[in-house]
Amino acid sequence: MKADNGKPRATSFWARYRNLILVISIILFLPPLAAIVQLTGDVNFCGRWCPRMFFVWREGTTMTAFLMGFVRSYMGVALVVTILGTTLAFGRYWCSHLCPVASPLELGSRLVPAPLKLDFSKTPAPSFRYAYLSVYFIVPAIGIGSLCCNYCNFAAVPRLFAAPFSAGDLTYFLRFQGVVNLGLLLFLGIFAKGGRAYCNLLCPIGALDALSNRIGAKFGRRIRIDRTKCTNCGECSKVCPAWAIDTQGDTTIINQLSCMPCRLCQGACQTQAIYYGKPAS
Amino acid sequence: MKRTLVFLFAAVLSVTAAWYRPGDSAHAMGMVSIKGGRAHHPVHFPSGKDRYTLVLTGTVLPPYQGDARVVVEGEPALPYSVYGSDPIVDLGLRHRPYFDDQTLTGLQPRDRFTVWVVIRPPEPLAAGKYNVTFYDTVTDRPVLQIPVFFGGGEGHHHEG
């Protein structure tokens, strides 16, 4: 199937309705409605829904207290287990289509004129991301600080949506840490080319999800390249928000440690060399 | 080589970010109970700030139920505001306490709550001990008290 501009168009449900799904995710998970989190009597991703803190060991924590963190954040545990499990089989659909924290950043970045956008795509994202993730785990364990709540995108984005309506949520941003978080969301989200620099560099859930994606790539469905059709034109890498596609000489490769099935590359490929599926046997 | 340098740069940046505490906000946890409640730890703020934000999260221990008014106590008295964390559009899917006029209303056993206390000293505080106290509105007895210390360096303050 060809689009008006002559380019092939990705036709799967997930490709065609991705923008709509991103918007629905925002409506369901974020204020002012936040219907999904209200099912458990919550208003945001803190507490029961916290997906970032339960797996972090802190200095002086007893095993009982550590395990109680799993109980306290039971919805966060369920969310993370579901994300990582589905990613093994199907790829990072949470990150590409469903994450309500990333959705507004990507959609917001599309409203920013191209000359104002910052291009972080030359950054080797996995190196940065896993340095951050290592510190995320190690520093609390040895007791010299924490990256959990202070730099939490799952806290900052919902509060950004609630701040116009709620003095409590506005208060979140009227302090040093809130200003830093707001700056990160703007600098690495709204004003970043593709809107996914925060996801690629600083999201611990995204980092774990990317590991799951890499591990499952040997048997699961992923975005892949048909080498018999690929002309190495590089058009796919220009649109990739995850900076996952690299053309080296006469070979184009997809780094499954960064790729998410947003299908933007599929839409950009003029030879239909990119497909979503299991590895060729 | 580039990857190694980026890894090291990110690690140093992340450790610095994790270590640094600006001291204008903190997070305290506590449990509301009819026996006076229990704070997990006191809060220590450094002196010299013109605004302090304290995020209080807590759980209600059975059999307590009722309404609890939140006040900041200590001498000299400090201007402060308390904000709740209610849904913007309450769909009424589950019971939850709501915050109105400095009071957590409709607390029931095992409820969880969040309040934001913003303290604005008219002049920089050198030192002092204060309490954020939750008083039951019927008995006027404290059901939770969280000590807040100002001054004495960076001290022990948690993520906010």
Side-chain angles (χ1 to χ4, degrees), chain B residues 32-35 59-68 95 97 104-111 135-139 141 143:
Chain B
V32 165
S33 79
I34 54 174
K35 293 178 180 175
T59 309
V60 180
L61 293 182
Y64 180 78
Q65 58 182 355
D67 304 340
H95 160 79
L104 277 166
T105 304
L107 289 170
Q108 291 185 2
R110 286 178 285 279
D111 271 353
Y135 285 101
D136 180 78
T137 55
V138 174
T139 64
R141 288 183 177 172
V143 289

Side-chain angles (χ1 to χ4, degrees), chain A residues 13 25 30 34 53 56 64 72 83 97 111 118 196 198 207 249 279:
Chain A
F13 170 86
S25 171
L30 299 184
M53 205 160 73
V56 176
T64 304
R72 189 168 54 244
I83 291 170
H97 285 70
L111 303 176
L118 302 161
R196 292 284 186 155
Y198 196 116

